[in-house]
Amino acid sequence: VTLNPQTISKEKPADLYFASFGFIADFNRYFFEGEIIRLGVEPYFENVTLNSIAPGIGSLSRIGDSLAYMLTGGYRFKTVTLHLTWSERQFYQSIPSIPQVANLTELERHSWSIGGRWDFHSNMAFKTELTVAKDGSPAITKKLFGHFLENTILSIGVDYIF
């Protein structure tokens, strides 16, 4: 996203804000974590172009709040840890150049992840995670992109701590 530098100035300041609250409850073998994140821009930017991301969409008349939250829980079996995570993200915007979403107020994204970690060495771990993410506002994304947004992602990696 490219911001027009004339949009942000001393005459027309924008307030950016970030707030986060989280918790961790660790009981040796099992654990729970959660977090809520809020990010926002006020007043809304004007003339934010999306041409670098999606040519032809035009400009956003506003970029507003974003809210994300997640809950995760897991269990440790000596060197193996398994976890399950649920997350949701909501963000608010409108695109006046597309009549179907000119008055759009909210988009949502939901995901579930299941993963594992195996500490096979004192400073190395094998990690894998399967995430399924679905759009929570399918009618809007069908109008925008011509199809629903659903993804399944498998991540595999090795962490090395030196």
mmCIF file of all heavy atoms in Angstrom, residues 54-88:
data_model
loop_
_atom_site.group_PDB
_atom_site.id
_atom_site.type_symbol
_atom_site.label_atom_id
_atom_site.label_comp_id
_atom_site.label_asym_id
_atom_site.label_seq_id
_atom_site.Cartn_x
_atom_site.Cartn_y
_atom_site.Cartn_z
ATOM 1 N N ALA A 54 -3.319 -4.560 -6.146
ATOM 2 C CA ALA A 54 -4.398 -5.020 -7.012
ATOM 3 C C ALA A 54 -4.733 -3.918 -8.003
ATOM 4 O O ALA A 54 -5.589 -3.082 -7.736
ATOM 5 C CB ALA A 54 -5.611 -5.397 -6.184
ATOM 6 N N PRO A 55 -4.062 -3.867 -9.158
ATOM 7 C CA PRO A 55 -4.313 -2.807 -10.138
ATOM 8 C C PRO A 55 -5.785 -2.737 -10.526
ATOM 9 O O PRO A 55 -6.450 -3.743 -10.665
ATOM 10 C CB PRO A 55 -3.449 -3.217 -11.328
ATOM 11 C CG PRO A 55 -2.387 -4.086 -10.741
ATOM 12 C CD PRO A 55 -3.042 -4.794 -9.587
ATOM 13 N N GLY A 56 -6.265 -1.518 -10.655
ATOM 14 C CA GLY A 56 -7.634 -1.298 -11.076
ATOM 15 C C GLY A 56 -8.617 -1.099 -9.947
ATOM 16 O O GLY A 56 -9.740 -0.689 -10.174
ATOM 17 N N ILE A 57 -8.215 -1.409 -8.702
ATOM 18 C CA ILE A 57 -9.140 -1.231 -7.587
ATOM 19 C C ILE A 57 -9.338 0.243 -7.288
ATOM 20 O O ILE A 57 -10.419 0.675 -6.950
ATOM 21 C CB ILE A 57 -8.658 -1.994 -6.328
ATOM 22 C CG1 ILE A 57 -8.903 -3.488 -6.541
ATOM 23 C CG2 ILE A 57 -9.382 -1.524 -5.088
ATOM 24 C CD1 ILE A 57 -8.580 -4.331 -5.351
ATOM 25 N N GLY A 58 -8.276 1.038 -7.403
ATOM 26 C CA GLY A 58 -8.418 2.466 -7.143
ATOM 27 C C GLY A 58 -7.879 2.827 -5.779
ATOM 28 O O GLY A 58 -6.839 2.363 -5.372
ATOM 29 N N SER A 59 -8.623 3.654 -5.069
ATOM 30 C CA SER A 59 -8.125 4.119 -3.779
ATOM 31 C C SER A 59 -9.125 3.819 -2.671
ATOM 32 O O SER A 59 -10.305 3.660 -2.913
ATOM 33 C CB SER A 59 -7.865 5.623 -3.829
ATOM 34 O OG SER A 59 -9.074 6.311 -4.027
ATOM 35 N N LEU A 60 -8.618 3.743 -1.477
ATOM 36 C CA LEU A 60 -9.467 3.549 -0.304
ATOM 37 C C LEU A 60 -9.904 4.910 0.202
ATOM 38 O O LEU A 60 -9.107 5.835 0.255
ATOM 39 C CB LEU A 60 -8.685 2.858 0.822
ATOM 40 C CG LEU A 60 -8.221 1.444 0.577
ATOM 41 C CD1 LEU A 60 -7.368 0.999 1.751
ATOM 42 C CD2 LEU A 60 -9.386 0.518 0.404
ATOM 43 N N SER A 61 -11.143 5.025 0.605
ATOM 44 C CA SER A 61 -11.551 6.285 1.207
ATOM 45 C C SER A 61 -11.223 6.278 2.686
ATOM 46 O O SER A 61 -11.171 7.301 3.307
ATOM 47 C CB SER A 61 -13.045 6.520 1.009
ATOM 48 O OG SER A 61 -13.783 5.566 1.746
ATOM 49 N N ARG A 62 -11.029 5.099 3.267
ATOM 50 C CA ARG A 62 -10.662 5.056 4.669
ATOM 51 C C ARG A 62 -9.982 3.734 5.003
ATOM 52 O O ARG A 62 -10.255 2.712 4.409
ATOM 53 C CB ARG A 62 -11.873 5.259 5.565
ATOM 54 C CG ARG A 62 -12.899 4.170 5.472
ATOM 55 C CD ARG A 62 -14.133 4.523 6.297
ATOM 56 N NE ARG A 62 -14.976 3.359 6.403
ATOM 57 C CZ ARG A 62 -15.326 2.787 7.533
ATOM 58 N NH1 ARG A 62 -14.892 3.260 8.670
ATOM 59 N NH2 ARG A 62 -16.096 1.745 7.545
ATOM 60 N N ILE A 63 -9.097 3.810 5.931
ATOM 61 C CA ILE A 63 -8.510 2.624 6.539
ATOM 62 C C ILE A 63 -8.774 2.787 8.022
ATOM 63 O O ILE A 63 -8.370 3.771 8.618
ATOM 64 C CB ILE A 63 -7.002 2.532 6.294
ATOM 65 C CG1 ILE A 63 -6.719 2.437 4.802
ATOM 66 C CG2 ILE A 63 -6.420 1.325 7.017
ATOM 67 C CD1 ILE A 63 -5.254 2.454 4.481
ATOM 68 N N GLY A 64 -9.469 1.879 8.616
ATOM 69 C CA GLY A 64 -9.867 2.061 9.997
ATOM 70 C C GLY A 64 -9.211 1.075 10.930
ATOM 71 O O GLY A 64 -8.073 0.672 10.734
ATOM 72 N N ASP A 65 -9.948 0.682 11.931
ATOM 73 C CA ASP A 65 -9.439 -0.194 12.971
ATOM 74 C C ASP A 65 -9.190 -1.610 12.468
ATOM 75 O O ASP A 65 -9.832 -2.084 11.549
ATOM 76 C CB ASP A 65 -10.443 -0.292 14.112
ATOM 77 C CG ASP A 65 -10.539 0.974 14.922
ATOM 78 O OD1 ASP A 65 -9.583 1.756 14.889
ATOM 79 O OD2 ASP A 65 -11.561 1.165 15.588
ATOM 80 N N SER A 66 -8.282 -2.265 13.157
ATOM 81 C CA SER A 66 -8.020 -3.679 12.949
ATOM 82 C C SER A 66 -7.990 -4.322 14.333
ATOM 83 O O SER A 66 -7.381 -3.792 15.254
ATOM 84 C CB SER A 66 -6.682 -3.872 12.247
ATOM 85 O OG SER A 66 -6.383 -5.241 12.140
ATOM 86 N N LEU A 67 -8.671 -5.431 14.470
ATOM 87 C CA LEU A 67 -8.731 -6.139 15.740
ATOM 88 C C LEU A 67 -8.384 -7.596 15.480
ATOM 89 O O LEU A 67 -8.942 -8.220 14.583
ATOM 90 C CB LEU A 67 -10.137 -6.031 16.345
ATOM 91 C CG LEU A 67 -10.406 -6.789 17.635
ATOM 92 C CD1 LEU A 67 -9.581 -6.191 18.779
ATOM 93 C CD2 LEU A 67 -11.889 -6.744 17.968
ATOM 94 N N ALA A 68 -7.445 -8.134 16.252
ATOM 95 C CA ALA A 68 -7.050 -9.537 16.105
ATOM 96 C C ALA A 68 -6.963 -10.167 17.489
ATOM 97 O O ALA A 68 -6.568 -9.507 18.446
ATOM 98 C CB ALA A 68 -5.707 -9.632 15.398
ATOM 99 N N TYR A 69 -7.356 -11.424 17.572
ATOM 100 C CA TYR A 69 -7.222 -12.130 18.830
ATOM 101 C C TYR A 69 -6.976 -13.602 18.569
ATOM 102 O O TYR A 69 -7.321 -14.129 17.505
ATOM 103 C CB TYR A 69 -8.423 -11.934 19.755
ATOM 104 C CG TYR A 69 -9.762 -11.820 19.089
ATOM 105 C CD1 TYR A 69 -10.591 -12.925 18.962
ATOM 106 C CD2 TYR A 69 -10.214 -10.597 18.615
ATOM 107 C CE1 TYR A 69 -11.830 -12.815 18.370
ATOM 108 C CE2 TYR A 69 -11.450 -10.474 18.027
ATOM 109 C CZ TYR A 69 -12.255 -11.593 17.905
ATOM 110 O OH TYR A 69 -13.480 -11.484 17.308
ATOM 111 N N MET A 70 -6.335 -14.249 19.557
ATOM 112 C CA MET A 70 -6.011 -15.662 19.433
ATOM 113 C C MET A 70 -6.000 -16.329 20.795
ATOM 114 O O MET A 70 -5.752 -15.688 21.810
ATOM 115 C CB MET A 70 -4.663 -15.853 18.743
ATOM 116 C CG MET A 70 -3.456 -15.235 19.459
ATOM 117 S SD MET A 70 -2.792 -16.147 20.850
ATOM 118 C CE MET A 70 -1.673 -17.227 20.079
ATOM 119 N N LEU A 71 -6.298 -17.624 20.768
ATOM 120 C CA LEU A 71 -6.195 -18.483 21.942
ATOM 121 C C LEU A 71 -5.451 -19.739 21.513
ATOM 122 O O LEU A 71 -5.725 -20.278 20.432
ATOM 123 C CB LEU A 71 -7.570 -18.876 22.473
ATOM 124 C CG LEU A 71 -8.421 -17.779 23.074
ATOM 125 C CD1 LEU A 71 -9.826 -18.307 23.370
ATOM 126 C CD2 LEU A 71 -7.771 -17.264 24.353
ATOM 127 N N THR A 72 -4.532 -20.175 22.338
ATOM 128 C CA THR A 72 -3.804 -21.396 22.029
ATOM 129 C C THR A 72 -3.638 -22.221 23.292
ATOM 130 O O THR A 72 -3.597 -21.685 24.395
ATOM 131 C CB THR A 72 -2.429 -21.092 21.381
ATOM 132 O OG1 THR A 72 -1.860 -22.298 20.900
ATOM 133 C CG2 THR A 72 -1.478 -20.438 22.346
ATOM 134 N N GLY A 73 -3.587 -23.497 23.104
ATOM 135 C CA GLY A 73 -3.355 -24.411 24.213
ATOM 136 C C GLY A 73 -2.493 -25.548 23.732
ATOM 137 O O GLY A 73 -2.525 -25.907 22.549
ATOM 138 N N GLY A 74 -1.703 -26.098 24.634
ATOM 139 C CA GLY A 74 -0.832 -27.174 24.218
ATOM 140 C C GLY A 74 -0.448 -28.085 25.361
ATOM 141 O O GLY A 74 -0.757 -27.819 26.527
ATOM 142 N N TYR A 75 0.228 -29.174 24.985
ATOM 143 C CA TYR A 75 0.669 -30.161 25.955
ATOM 144 C C TYR A 75 2.079 -30.618 25.590
ATOM 145 O O TYR A 75 2.376 -30.842 24.423
ATOM 146 C CB TYR A 75 -0.291 -31.358 25.967
ATOM 147 C CG TYR A 75 -0.064 -32.273 27.135
ATOM 148 C CD1 TYR A 75 -0.609 -31.996 28.377
ATOM 149 C CD2 TYR A 75 0.717 -33.419 26.996
ATOM 150 C CE1 TYR A 75 -0.396 -32.835 29.463
ATOM 151 C CE2 TYR A 75 0.934 -34.266 28.070
ATOM 152 C CZ TYR A 75 0.381 -33.964 29.302
ATOM 153 O OH TYR A 75 0.607 -34.789 30.373
ATOM 154 N N ARG A 76 2.912 -30.754 26.610
ATOM 155 C CA ARG A 76 4.307 -31.179 26.421
ATOM 156 C C ARG A 76 4.486 -32.630 26.855
ATOM 157 O O ARG A 76 4.132 -32.998 27.967
ATOM 158 C CB ARG A 76 5.238 -30.292 27.234
ATOM 159 C CG ARG A 76 5.268 -28.868 26.784
ATOM 160 C CD ARG A 76 6.283 -28.058 27.605
ATOM 161 N NE ARG A 76 6.177 -26.657 27.289
ATOM 162 C CZ ARG A 76 5.490 -25.772 28.010
ATOM 163 N NH1 ARG A 76 4.865 -26.145 29.095
ATOM 164 N NH2 ARG A 76 5.436 -24.506 27.639
ATOM 165 N N PHE A 77 5.041 -33.453 25.962
ATOM 166 C CA PHE A 77 5.426 -34.830 26.251
ATOM 167 C C PHE A 77 6.952 -34.885 26.205
ATOM 168 O O PHE A 77 7.514 -35.168 25.156
ATOM 169 C CB PHE A 77 4.893 -35.800 25.203
ATOM 170 C CG PHE A 77 3.404 -35.760 25.018
ATOM 171 C CD1 PHE A 77 2.835 -34.899 24.087
ATOM 172 C CD2 PHE A 77 2.584 -36.593 25.746
ATOM 173 C CE1 PHE A 77 1.466 -34.881 23.890
ATOM 174 C CE2 PHE A 77 1.218 -36.572 25.556
ATOM 175 C CZ PHE A 77 0.656 -35.717 24.635
ATOM 176 N N LYS A 78 7.626 -34.548 27.271
ATOM 177 C CA LYS A 78 9.095 -34.506 27.340
ATOM 178 C C LYS A 78 9.654 -33.636 26.221
ATOM 179 O O LYS A 78 9.646 -32.426 26.327
ATOM 180 C CB LYS A 78 9.692 -35.911 27.347
ATOM 181 C CG LYS A 78 9.323 -36.690 28.577
ATOM 182 C CD LYS A 78 10.029 -38.012 28.638
ATOM 183 C CE LYS A 78 9.565 -38.759 29.889
ATOM 184 N NZ LYS A 78 10.207 -40.027 30.008
ATOM 185 N N THR A 79 10.124 -34.219 25.110
ATOM 186 C CA THR A 79 10.739 -33.424 24.044
ATOM 187 C C THR A 79 9.769 -33.052 22.919
ATOM 188 O O THR A 79 10.155 -32.416 21.947
ATOM 189 C CB THR A 79 11.941 -34.178 23.428
ATOM 190 O OG1 THR A 79 11.471 -35.410 22.871
ATOM 191 C CG2 THR A 79 13.015 -34.436 24.468
ATOM 192 N N VAL A 80 8.512 -33.452 23.028
ATOM 193 C CA VAL A 80 7.512 -33.163 21.991
ATOM 194 C C VAL A 80 6.418 -32.275 22.585
ATOM 195 O O VAL A 80 5.932 -32.526 23.683
ATOM 196 C CB VAL A 80 6.893 -34.469 21.442
ATOM 197 C CG1 VAL A 80 5.764 -34.162 20.470
ATOM 198 C CG2 VAL A 80 7.950 -35.332 20.782
ATOM 199 N N THR A 81 6.049 -31.219 21.851
ATOM 200 C CA THR A 81 4.974 -30.309 22.253
ATOM 201 C C THR A 81 3.938 -30.263 21.138
ATOM 202 O O THR A 81 4.283 -30.085 19.970
ATOM 203 C CB THR A 81 5.513 -28.886 22.491
ATOM 204 O OG1 THR A 81 6.557 -28.942 23.466
ATOM 205 C CG2 THR A 81 4.422 -27.945 22.954
ATOM 206 N N LEU A 82 2.680 -30.429 21.499
ATOM 207 C CA LEU A 82 1.575 -30.299 20.552
ATOM 208 C C LEU A 82 0.732 -29.095 20.952
ATOM 209 O O LEU A 82 0.569 -28.822 22.146
ATOM 210 C CB LEU A 82 0.708 -31.558 20.562
ATOM 211 C CG LEU A 82 1.413 -32.855 20.174
ATOM 212 C CD1 LEU A 82 0.441 -34.026 20.299
ATOM 213 C CD2 LEU A 82 1.966 -32.778 18.766
ATOM 214 N N HIS A 83 0.195 -28.382 19.956
ATOM 215 C CA HIS A 83 -0.644 -27.216 20.272
ATOM 216 C C HIS A 83 -1.784 -27.080 19.280
ATOM 217 O O HIS A 83 -1.720 -27.557 18.148
ATOM 218 C CB HIS A 83 0.197 -25.928 20.289
ATOM 219 C CG HIS A 83 0.638 -25.476 18.937
ATOM 220 N ND1 HIS A 83 -0.161 -24.703 18.129
ATOM 221 C CD2 HIS A 83 1.777 -25.690 18.256
ATOM 222 C CE1 HIS A 83 0.476 -24.459 16.992
ATOM 223 N NE2 HIS A 83 1.657 -25.046 17.045
ATOM 224 N N LEU A 84 -2.828 -26.401 19.743
ATOM 225 C CA LEU A 84 -3.992 -26.067 18.932
ATOM 226 C C LEU A 84 -4.255 -24.578 19.125
ATOM 227 O O LEU A 84 -4.286 -24.091 20.259
ATOM 228 C CB LEU A 84 -5.211 -26.880 19.383
ATOM 229 C CG LEU A 84 -6.520 -26.627 18.638
ATOM 230 C CD1 LEU A 84 -6.398 -27.088 17.179
ATOM 231 C CD2 LEU A 84 -7.661 -27.359 19.326
ATOM 232 N N THR A 85 -4.447 -23.848 18.020
ATOM 233 C CA THR A 85 -4.620 -22.395 18.083
ATOM 234 C C THR A 85 -5.834 -21.978 17.273
ATOM 235 O O THR A 85 -6.034 -22.451 16.153
ATOM 236 C CB THR A 85 -3.369 -21.664 17.535
ATOM 237 O OG1 THR A 85 -2.237 -22.076 18.275
ATOM 238 C CG2 THR A 85 -3.518 -20.165 17.609
ATOM 239 N N TRP A 86 -6.630 -21.077 17.836
ATOM 240 C CA TRP A 86 -7.740 -20.445 17.136
ATOM 241 C C TRP A 86 -7.451 -18.953 17.070
ATOM 242 O O TRP A 86 -7.017 -18.354 18.061
ATOM 243 C CB TRP A 86 -9.047 -20.680 17.886
ATOM 244 C CG TRP A 86 -10.171 -19.826 17.387
ATOM 245 C CD1 TRP A 86 -10.953 -20.032 16.289
ATOM 246 C CD2 TRP A 86 -10.625 -18.609 17.971
ATOM 247 N NE1 TRP A 86 -11.864 -19.014 16.162
ATOM 248 C CE2 TRP A 86 -11.685 -18.126 17.191
ATOM 249 C CE3 TRP A 86 -10.236 -17.869 19.089
ATOM 250 C CZ2 TRP A 86 -12.359 -16.950 17.475
ATOM 251 C CZ3 TRP A 86 -10.915 -16.693 19.367
ATOM 252 C CH2 TRP A 86 -11.971 -16.255 18.571
ATOM 253 N N SER A 87 -7.682 -18.341 15.918
ATOM 254 C CA SER A 87 -7.481 -16.895 15.804
ATOM 255 C C SER A 87 -8.546 -16.289 14.901
ATOM 256 O O SER A 87 -9.125 -16.958 14.054
ATOM 257 C CB SER A 87 -6.081 -16.568 15.281
ATOM 258 O OG SER A 87 -5.947 -16.997 13.949
ATOM 259 N N GLU A 88 -8.746 -15.000 15.102
ATOM 260 C CA GLU A 88 -9.685 -14.251 14.276
ATOM 261 C C GLU A 88 -9.151 -12.850 14.088
ATOM 262 O O GLU A 88 -8.522 -12.294 14.981
ATOM 263 C CB GLU A 88 -11.054 -14.186 14.937
ATOM 264 C CG GLU A 88 -12.086 -13.500 14.061
ATOM 265 C CD GLU A 88 -13.491 -13.652 14.595
ATOM 266 O OE1 GLU A 88 -13.865 -14.776 14.953
ATOM 267 O OE2 GLU A 88 -14.203 -12.633 14.649
#
